[in-house]
Amino acid sequence: MHRLSHRVRAFDRRHPLLWDLLLTGFFVTAALNDFLGGGWRNINANPDVPPTWLLTTLTLGFSVPLLWRRTRPVTVLLVMLPLALANAWTGADLQASLTLLVVTFNIAVHTRLRTLLCSYALILVPIVVDGLRYPAEQGADQSIVPQMTRLAMVAIVGISFRTRQEYLASLVERAAQLEIERDQQARLATAAERTRIAREMHDIIGHNLSVITSLADGGSYAAAKNPERAAQALTAIGTTSRQALGELRRLLDVLRTDPSGTRPPGAEPLGLDHLGPLGPPGVEMAPQPSLTDLNHLIEGVRSAGLPVRTTIHGQATALPPGRQLAVYRVIQEALTNTLKHGGPDATSTVSVSYGNGGAVTATVTDTGRGGTGQSNGAGGRGLTGMRERTALYGGTLESGPLPDHGWRVHLHLPEETPQ
């Protein structure tokens, strides 16, 4: 039954005019059958028989306007109302007048409550006229009160139907809105992921290329006088390159795996698999670097020719991985900028202090050329990435030249706020 009702409503939505013609044709046929078959005489005890032309006019007037009952229900009521008064005044009491109930239902469905109340009052007029003019001819179900009650029940059914339609429409609208919001959230998440990947790739490539450039410059200088030193530089370049490729491969794996960490069926590699293994087994799935890898980072910078002195206060064991990665990348970017812009005689100092509740402070200073060259590098994507990482944990980042010469980057992440 529910499936049949759904099909009928679907047909009505696709072909509203055809459905209106079918329903109007049904009421016209029923009204004419009542008139021509003498059905009206069976319920009418009035001895004065109205003329045939009047009965025909009333019959068609009560049925044909139903074609517009949904598009103009109030207009249909105003057309039928004089006919209903004539039907009551002459005592014809045609059963076709019951089509006023259909009009009442459509007024309840398609108009405001105030319009429905006014229409209800207008329809009561012929009912009262009929009851007062021919009281003796009124049956138990044709008196004023039962007809008023019947009309009120039809109006209530119409209001319930309209309420249900509005509720379903609101659900559809809400579903559409949720779908739009879902798509927007997906686009925002995609943009955020692209930004994160771009930031990671900048840090990885920028740092390792700076190290490789410094090693290559030192190796070419030492090739003529110290071949052993040049060979060490080449070895360090190979090691740094493999490390950079390994980090890039882990990063790009994010783009081709689902949240469970497996590659979707049919997914193709992103172009790095032909390089072969990049290190020991399992290196592709290694975690992001943390502060425990800070010594390894600094050793790589030292091997590139930048003397670095470190000072560590406390331990990073209780620091969440996200905060460790943020601090690691900031230090990495600061050292990369020193390699790029500090000059051949620059030195660097890294100081890290761990506090309670995830608080951490890191300061990187150098004795390079000052703000002229470094400001260009730090003012680009590198400084933006450092600030984004710091802001993610509610921290502060200060970056600028020192009074005499050199550059200073100061990071502070406050204690974690309990959620």
Side-chain angles (χ1 to χ4, degrees):
M1 188 65 184
H2 176 72
R3 183 178 299 178
L4 177 61
S5 175
H6 178 73
R7 290 181 178 178
V8 170
R9 288 196 299 269
F11 178 82
D12 184 24
R13 286 192 297 268
R14 292 193 302 268
H15 311 285
L17 179 60
L18 179 59
W19 181 256
D20 288 341
L21 287 172
L22 289 174
L23 193 61
T24 302
F26 168 78
F27 279 109
V28 170
T29 303
L32 290 175
N33 181 69
D34 173 59
F35 162 53
L36 297 176
W40 66 277
R41 295 187 178 91
N42 296 332
I43 65 168
N44 185 13
N46 181 22
D48 298 328
V49 178
T52 303
W53 67 267
L54 179 59
L55 294 176
T56 304
T57 302
L58 294 177
T59 298
L60 296 178
F62 280 129
S63 55
V64 173
L66 292 177
L67 183 62
W68 299 276
R69 73 193 186 282
R70 291 195 290 188
T71 56
R72 297 180 178 86
V74 177
T75 303
V76 172
L77 174 63
L78 295 178
V79 170
M80 288 186 176
L81 194 60
L83 303 177
L85 287 172
N87 183 58
W89 187 262
T90 59
D93 283 338
L94 287 172
Q95 294 186 84
S97 63
L98 294 177
T99 54
L100 286 171
L101 297 176
V102 179
V103 180
T104 302
F105 175 81
N106 283 273
I107 291 176
V109 171
H110 300 291
T111 65
R112 297 177 300 175
L113 180 61
R114 182 177 179 180
T115 304
L116 174 61
L117 293 176
C118 294
S119 302
Y120 182 83
L122 291 175
I123 297 174
L124 288 182
V125 174
I127 294 176
V128 173
V129 169
D130 188 44
L132 296 178
R133 184 167 174 78
Y134 300 101
E137 285 78 13
Q138 302 297 320
D141 60 341
Q142 294 296 322
S143 60
I144 297 177
V145 175
Q147 291 192 69
M148 291 175 60
T149 304
R150 183 167 53 198
L151 191 66
M153 293 182 64
V154 171
I156 292 173
V157 171
I159 292 174
S160 301
F161 184 80
R162 181 183 65 185
T163 303
R164 184 173 181 273
Q165 281 188 324
E166 292 175 349
Y167 175 70
L168 292 177
S170 67
L171 290 180
V172 172
E173 182 180 0
R174 177 60 177 164
Q177 185 65 29
L178 289 175
E179 185 175 355
I180 294 174
E181 293 178 359
R182 182 197 64 189
D183 294 340
Q184 291 176 343
Q185 291 294 331
R187 287 193 293 269
L188 290 174
T190 300
E193 183 65 10
R194 289 170 63 90
T195 301
R196 185 188 71 82
I197 291 173
R199 186 169 58 225
E200 292 292 335
M201 292 185 71
H202 169 271
D203 293 341
I204 294 170
I205 296 175
H207 172 75
N208 287 286
L209 285 182
S210 297
V211 172
I212 290 172
T213 301
S214 299
L215 289 171
D217 291 341
S220 63
Y221 177 78
K225 299 181 179 181
N226 192 346
E228 183 180 352
R229 179 63 177 169
Q232 292 176 355
L234 291 175
T235 302
I237 288 174
T239 301
T240 304
S241 300
R242 283 191 292 273
Q243 291 173 351
L245 287 174
E247 288 195 63
L248 284 176
R249 175 178 239 175
R250 291 195 297 271
L251 182 62
L252 294 176
D253 274 343
V254 176
L255 300 179
R256 60 178 178 180
T257 56
D258 59 17
S260 65
T262 59
R263 183 182 298 176
E268 296 296 330
L270 297 182
L272 294 178
D273 289 329
H274 70 281
L275 297 175
L278 302 179
V283 68
E284 292 84 354
M285 299 307 294
Q288 290 278 23
S290 64
L291 291 176
T292 57
D293 303 308
L294 193 57
N295 289 333
H296 182 70
L297 169 68
I298 292 174
E299 287 300 325
V301 174
R302 286 171 178 164
S303 66
L306 176 64
V308 181
R309 184 166 58 90
T310 61
T311 303
I312 308 294
H313 299 282
Q315 293 183 348
T317 54
L319 203 64
R323 288 184 167 233
Q324 293 195 41
L325 178 62
V327 176
Y328 180 92
R329 291 303 189 196
V330 168
I331 295 174
Q332 182 186 54
E333 180 64 25
L335 294 175
T336 299
N337 288 331
T338 301
L339 279 171
K340 288 180 179 179
H341 311 291
D345 298 326
T347 62
S348 183
T349 300
V350 177
S351 176
V352 183
S353 177
Y354 304 105
N356 297 324
V360 59
T361 301
T363 304
V364 181
T365 59
D366 64 55
T367 59
R369 295 171 181 172
T372 304
Q374 278 182 287
S375 62
N376 295 333
R381 188 180 297 273
L383 181 58
T384 301
M386 287 193 289
R387 293 194 186 281
E388 288 176 350
R389 292 182 186 277
T390 305
L392 185 63
Y393 298 99
T396 57
L397 180 74
E398 299 174 3
S399 177
L402 294 173
D404 296 332
H405 58 84
W407 195 265
R408 175 178 178 269
V409 175
H410 179 74
L411 163 73
H412 174 69
L413 298 183
E415 295 184 9
E416 290 188 278
T417 303
Q419 301 294 329

